[in-house]
Amino acid sequence: MQTSADPFWLLLAALVALPLAFAVCLRAPALVALGFVAILCLFSSSTWGQLQAENNLYSRGTGLFHFSLLNLLLWTATAATLLRALANRSRLAPASPFPAFLAATAFMLVGHVAVGLLSGQELNIILGYNGILNVANMALFSILLLMALNDEKERRRLLLLIIALAAVRAVFGLVRYFLFGGDSANPYANFERLDIRLVYFDIADNYIASLAAFVIAWLLLMPDVRMSLLKRAALFGLLALEIATVALSFRRSSLGGMALMFIVLMLRLPLRRQLQFLVISVGAVSVAGAAFMQQRLQINSGSSGLIASLLYDVGPQRSTEVSRFYELEAAAKSLDGNWLFGLGSWGSYYGNESMLDYHFGKFDFVHSGFGHLVLKSGMVGLLLFLALLVAFTIRYLKIRRRVTGNHALLADAGMASLLFWLPTLLVGTPVIEFRSMLLIGMSLALPYLALAPAPRTASPTWRTHAVA
């Protein structure tokens, strides 16, 4: 009886919540946008590695509506915020490539729907999350943030919210790691029977911690930032927590991504502070590398070298039977003759199922964000996505010398965030993850938030706006 009643109550909740959300978005778009950021910061989405699969917040509603309730809320919030912006031209988003990118992606999705239906595919599969739907969701979230957070106070709240919620998430993860066995989503322990605990397996959790660490380090090291000794000590403590969260998650992509983030910071510092930062970074990297070698790499590789251990599943000297890139080879063979437009959002590839047993029989995604775009939308989809990244990079390089204070921090955080996601886009599965793609959308929006005009009464620096 309870099972049959659940869909009814879910439907009723949606019918009540969506119009209410539309009204709230019209009234307070910034509150809704920051609410989305809070959800993305606080709730994991990855269930891979769990012994018993569980529904998470990001999958709620998919059984009844085919799309998650959060996805429906994203569409509702963006539509309401756009309507408000059209009625009040002062709240229009700053110029960005996201609307054009969204239009091109939507056009491509419409084409996929037309071709897929003609070939007998089901609509819910064509528009499923293992296709390219989340690419459109990413662009929508970027547009929502740019329209909703259009003044200095709201952008500052975004930065403070990320730091505060990342601190909460780090404390929760570390307490669970030391006292309760760590993250239950742990494929190394559950599938490979390795004696390893993780703080967070979800790459998005690692990104939140890395972004907070970057923002905190930026505030501590930039010469124009002034704050009390007590606040500086508190930020140093938070920085240690965030770095420990990433280091004890033992994800190669997140460790590499965080290192790339801090290269951005080092390049922005004066020479004297670059040397100080380099000394501190070498010490932190040495500690993290030692923990990484001890807890994970020495189990996976007989090599004593760090580089060889990091690449234990790649190359001729790998210690695993199957190369990490085998699935990409199999997907490439399946693309024969379809490289321009891909296999469609519903497309799957074929390969040796025993060598791909970790896919559990589902071959509609690959462990590469860029590779997934090629598989589903061909070189056209990949080049469209790369064009967005190129436009983002050009704009960052153009504006960085002209912005200061909060605006400089937002711009640097955006570029650093993109660098964090690059390893995951190369060898991870972000495109099929709603949470990851929205966080990538937030990353790409940050430098454009820095371009938004600030009110004349607001201070452009952190001298008068304390972090804590």
Side-chain angles (χ1 to χ4, degrees):
M1 187 69 178
Q2 181 67 32
T3 302
S4 61
D6 283 344
F8 170 78
W9 291 113
L10 187 60
L11 176 61
L12 182 62
L15 292 176
V16 173
L18 291 180
L20 181 62
F22 193 89
V24 172
C25 292
L26 284 175
R27 182 69 178 173
L31 179 64
V32 175
L34 293 176
F36 258 106
V37 173
I39 289 172
L40 295 173
C41 287
L42 289 176
F43 297 97
S44 288
S45 62
S46 178
T47 58
W48 168 250
Q50 289 183 334
L51 290 175
Q52 186 174 5
E54 300 175 359
N55 289 330
N56 57 56
L57 183 66
Y58 303 95
S59 64
R60 296 293 180 185
T62 52
L64 185 62
F65 304 109
H66 299 302
F67 305 107
S68 71
L69 290 177
L70 275 178
N71 203 159
L72 295 174
L73 180 59
L74 172 65
W75 297 340
T76 302
T78 307
T81 307
L82 177 60
L83 182 62
R84 176 187 171 94
L86 292 174
N88 182 4
R89 294 286 177 171
S90 66
R91 297 194 68 90
L92 283 176
S96 74
F98 301 116
F101 176 80
L102 177 62
T105 303
F107 179 79
M108 189 162 51
L109 268 173
V110 170
H112 284 195
V113 169
V115 174
L117 291 177
L118 288 174
S119 61
Q121 300 296 325
E122 297 181 16
L123 182 61
N124 64 313
I125 295 178
I126 300 171
L127 296 178
Y129 290 106
N130 279 10
I132 60 171
L133 180 66
N134 281 330
V135 179
N137 285 331
M138 176 200 75
L140 277 172
F141 192 55
S142 297
I143 294 171
L144 174 63
L145 291 174
L146 291 180
M147 289 191 298
L149 307 179
N150 69 340
D151 66 38
E152 180 76 13
K153 184 183 295 185
E154 290 162 353
R155 292 190 294 273
R156 182 169 175 269
R157 283 175 178 168
L158 172 65
L159 293 169
L160 291 171
L161 183 68
I162 290 171
I163 294 174
L165 296 183
V168 172
R169 195 75 178 142
V171 170
F172 170 79
L174 290 169
V175 169
R176 185 177 61 172
Y177 175 84
F178 286 110
L179 300 181
F180 303 104
D183 195 349
S184 60
N186 185 347
Y188 312 120
N190 295 335
F191 299 159
E192 300 176 31
R193 305 303 179 191
L194 303 177
D195 184 19
I196 297 177
R197 289 180 294 174
L198 308 176
V199 177
Y200 291 116
F201 180 74
D202 194 334
I203 193 67
D205 284 309
N206 285 261
Y207 166 69
I208 294 298
S210 297
L211 177 59
F214 177 88
V215 171
I216 292 168
W218 194 99
L219 293 169
L220 288 171
L221 292 170
M222 282 295 171
D224 291 338
V225 179
R226 299 289 183 267
M227 67 183 74
S228 68
L229 183 61
L230 181 61
K231 290 177 180 177
R232 189 170 291 273
L235 287 180
F236 268 114
L238 286 178
L239 179 61
L241 284 178
E242 303 302 346
I243 293 176
T245 297
V246 178
L248 296 176
S249 292
F250 304 115
R251 298 294 306 272
R252 290 174 292 177
S253 53
S254 60
L255 285 169
M258 186 169 67
L260 292 173
M261 292 182 85
F262 280 94
I263 289 175
V264 174
L265 177 57
M266 187 176 73
L267 293 176
R268 288 300 171 193
L269 292 172
L271 180 59
R272 179 181 296 180
R273 298 210 174 194
Q274 281 185 356
L275 297 175
Q276 295 173 355
F277 176 72
L278 191 59
V279 171
I280 296 173
S281 298
V282 168
V285 169
S286 299
V287 173
F292 198 80
M293 285 284 290
Q294 181 181 5
Q295 292 293 319
R296 178 178 173 186
L297 298 181
Q298 69 175 357
I299 300 175
N300 287 329
S301 175
S303 172
S304 59
L306 177 61
I307 300 301
S309 297
L310 282 170
L311 303 178
Y312 72 91
D313 55 355
V314 178
Q317 302 300 320
R318 66 179 183 269
S319 61
T320 58
E321 182 179 349
V322 181
S323 170
R324 183 181 181 91
F325 299 130
Y326 170 73
E327 63 176 323
L328 294 180
E329 298 172 9
K333 291 180 181 178
S334 298
L335 273 166
D336 186 31
N338 296 285
W339 282 94
L340 186 59
F341 296 109
L343 301 179
S345 295
W346 64 91
S348 295
Y349 65 97
Y350 302 95
N352 187 318
E353 294 193 16
S354 64
M355 297 175 69
L356 297 169
D357 57 353
Y358 55 91
H359 272 258
F360 295 101
K362 294 187 65 176
F363 304 115
D364 54 355
F365 71 95
V366 294
H367 281 77
S368 170
F370 294 136
H372 185 87
L373 290 172
V374 175
L375 178 69
K376 301 292 184 172
S377 56
M379 295 304 298
V380 171
L382 176 63
L383 290 176
L384 180 64
F385 190 82
L386 291 177
L388 178 66
L389 302 187
V390 170
F392 164 92
T393 304
I394 291 173
R395 184 55 64 95
Y396 168 77
L397 295 175
K398 278 186 176 181
I399 70 163
R400 182 55 184 85
R401 293 181 181 275
R402 297 191 285 110
V403 292
T404 58
N406 296 2
H407 301 280
L409 175 53
L410 285 165
D412 288 342
M415 175 53 68
S417 294
L418 175 59
L419 294 181
F420 175 92
W421 285 110
L422 279 182
T424 302
L425 285 167
L426 287 170
V427 298
T429 58
V431 179
I432 65 173
E433 300 165 2
F434 179 80
R435 184 192 188 199
S436 293
M437 290 304 285
L438 260 61
L439 287 172
I440 292 176
M442 183 181 77
S443 303
L444 297 178
L446 290 176
Y448 295 95
L449 285 172
L451 286 175
R456 293 183 179 180
T457 56
S459 170
T461 74
W462 285 85
R463 290 178 184 271
T464 58
H465 288 298
V467 177

